[in-house]
């Protein structure tokens, strides 16, 4: 999870891929990218997920399913006088493969479709309520659970999902290697997000070495410089043609602060963003 705005005061404890988080103030959100499937339960406070197209509001006692490689901005905030506390269960590829093999490889009908790749709020079920009720004692940092107990809770969480919708089975138990996807197409759709080179290789289905080799075939720039140029080009269009305010678009195109954006913009175009708009 990478901070995109003011960093809130928080504590996060990881117990064998089960995360207990505490947020103590009301500061901003963070962009979340998980390479694994996950479920996030709100014990107190509230959470909002924003993927740029829709918002999902998760209240106290509710939980949300987050797909693998899904990018969204999470706002975890106090509500009704209670700080945000949440439990995040991460289902790694290794864990899912183990569960798939241990269970006799499940009886998944060949015509069962997969879920649409999007975050979704889960219904309140007895299985989920029982699961998270049994985990709340571990919000006390002095009470550390054993790894095998947390492993059991991950298994319970997986079973709860499979009982909610049969489409979870072919979705979670898909172990195919990722296809290579077009690098430029991916970057043109996702230029506004922060990526490391390893991230870009992963999301485009390549090893790090292969990604670097393939990128050199399409640009003389480094991936980092390509992304900055792309962001500036989009920003120029929004300012010059759409007459958007500079304060409205710098974060929208992927810059963390206005000063950095203005400096990069003037270096690229020899004029300030404000002058272009005027």
């Amino acid at each position: 999870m990478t901070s995109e705005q003011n960093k809130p005061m928080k504590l996060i404890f990881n117990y064998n891929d089960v995360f207990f988080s505490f947020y103590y103030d009301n500061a901003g959100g963070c962009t979340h990218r998980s390479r694994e499937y996950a479920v996030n339960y709100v014990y107190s406070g509230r959470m909002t997920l924003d993927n740029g197209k829709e918002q999902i509001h998760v209240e106290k006692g509710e939980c949300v399913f987050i797909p693998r490689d899904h990018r969204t901005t999470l706002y975890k905030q106090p509500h009704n006088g209670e700080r945000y506390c949440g439990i995040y269960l991460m289902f790694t590829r290794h864990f899912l493969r183990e569960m798939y093999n241990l269970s006799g490889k499940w009886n998944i009908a060949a015509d069962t479709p997969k879920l649409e790749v999007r975050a979704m709020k889960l219904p309140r079920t007895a299985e989920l309520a029982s699961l998270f009720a049994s985990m709340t004692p571990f919000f006390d940092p002095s009470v550390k659970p054993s790894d095998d107990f947390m492993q059991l809770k991950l298994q319970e969480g997986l079973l709860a999902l499979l009982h909610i919708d049969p489409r979870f089975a072919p979705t979670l138990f898909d172990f195919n290697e990722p296809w290579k996807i077009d690098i430029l197409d991916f970057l043109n759709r996702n230029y506004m997000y922060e990526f490391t080179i390893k991230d870009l290789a992963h999301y485009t289905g390549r090893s790090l070495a292969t990604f670097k080799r393939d990128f050199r075939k399409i640009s003389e720039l480094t991936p980092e410089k390509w992304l900055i140029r792309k962001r500036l080009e989009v920003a120029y269009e929004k300012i010059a043609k759409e007459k958007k305010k500079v304060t409205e678009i710098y974060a929208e195109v992927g810059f963390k602060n206005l000063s950095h954006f203005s400096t990069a913009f003037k270096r690229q175009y020899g004029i300030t963003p404000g002058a272009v708009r005027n």
Side-chain angles (χ1 to χ4, degrees):
M1 188 175 291
T2 56
S3 176
E4 292 292 328
Q5 300 179 16
N6 295 329
K7 294 182 179 179
M9 293 178 60
K10 60 186 178 182
L11 289 174
I12 299 177
F13 300 95
N14 177 8
Y15 302 125
N16 196 31
D17 294 328
V18 178
F19 298 80
F20 288 77
S21 56
F22 307 77
Y23 280 58
Y24 289 93
D25 57 28
N26 199 36
C30 63
T31 296
H32 175 94
R33 287 196 309 272
S34 175
R35 292 186 177 182
E36 312 292 352
Y37 293 109
V39 168
N40 201 134
Y41 170 77
V42 176
Y43 175 72
S44 63
R46 69 167 17 153
M47 178 173 67
T48 300
L49 291 80
D50 188 343
N51 64 9
K53 297 179 181 179
E54 65 172 345
Q55 289 189 343
I56 299 175
H57 302 286
V58 190
E59 304 293 336
K60 178 179 179 179
E62 296 182 326
C63 58
V64 63
F65 172 74
I66 303 174
R68 183 171 60 201
D69 294 340
H70 183 74
R71 213 167 22 258
T72 187
T73 301
L74 305 182
Y75 298 93
K76 301 178 177 181
Q77 299 171 319
H79 186 58
N80 288 337
E82 294 182 316
R83 67 186 179 188
Y84 171 85
C85 294
I87 304 175
Y88 181 89
L89 277 64
M90 184 168 67
F91 305 113
T92 66
R93 190 181 184 90
H94 175 73
F95 166 77
L96 291 171
R97 190 181 290 277
E98 278 192 338
M99 288 294 292
Y100 182 71
N101 292 330
L102 286 173
S103 62
K105 302 193 175 179
W106 299 86
N107 184 21
I108 305 172
D111 59 349
T112 304
K114 294 181 181 178
L115 287 165
E116 180 184 350
V117 181
R118 64 181 182 87
M120 65 180 74
K121 190 186 294 188
L122 296 171
R124 294 177 184 252
T125 66
E127 291 87 352
L128 287 173
S130 173
L131 167 66
F132 291 113
S134 69
M135 299 171 70
T136 55
F138 303 109
F139 274 112
D140 182 347
S142 66
V143 181
K144 183 178 179 181
S146 62
D147 286 347
D148 56 354
F149 185 81
M150 286 293 101
Q151 182 77 2
L152 179 61
K153 294 304 164 184
L154 285 171
Q155 293 174 11
E156 289 184 36
L158 175 60
L159 288 171
L161 288 178
L162 297 174
H163 281 288
I164 287 171
D165 192 319
R167 293 176 296 171
F168 274 113
T171 302
L172 296 171
F173 297 135
D174 179 7
F175 304 115
N176 293 322
E177 292 302 317
W179 293 93
K180 279 188 180 183
I181 65 174
D182 184 85
I183 292 176
L184 281 181
D185 179 64
F186 178 83
L187 292 177
N188 280 318
R189 287 186 290 107
N190 298 280
Y191 63 86
M192 67 290 296
Y193 300 111
E194 281 298 316
F195 292 108
T196 66
I197 301 299
K198 288 183 179 179
D199 288 336
L200 291 173
H202 170 77
Y203 290 125
T204 58
R206 292 164 169 82
S207 68
L208 183 59
T210 301
F211 175 81
K212 290 179 177 179
R213 183 193 66 209
D214 289 351
F215 193 85
R216 284 195 294 268
K217 296 177 182 178
I218 60 177
S219 178
E220 295 180 353
L221 298 174
T222 64
E224 295 90 344
K225 289 182 178 179
W226 189 98
L227 286 169
I228 291 174
R229 187 180 68 178
K230 175 67 178 180
R231 291 167 183 166
L232 292 171
E233 289 172 351
V234 174
Y236 191 98
E237 289 290 308
K238 289 180 179 292
I239 295 171
K241 295 185 177 180
E242 300 177 28
K243 300 301 180 181
K244 285 197 170 185
K245 295 180 180 179
V246 177
T247 53
E248 293 176 340
I249 59 93
Y250 78 91
E252 182 181 328
V253 300
F255 283 89
K256 291 185 177 181
N257 60 70
L258 180 57
S259 176
H260 182 204
F261 168 71
S262 298
T263 299
F265 191 96
K266 188 171 183 179
R267 185 185 302 119
Q268 175 80 10
Y269 295 108
I271 189 173
T272 65
V276 171
R277 186 172 187 270
N278 296 330

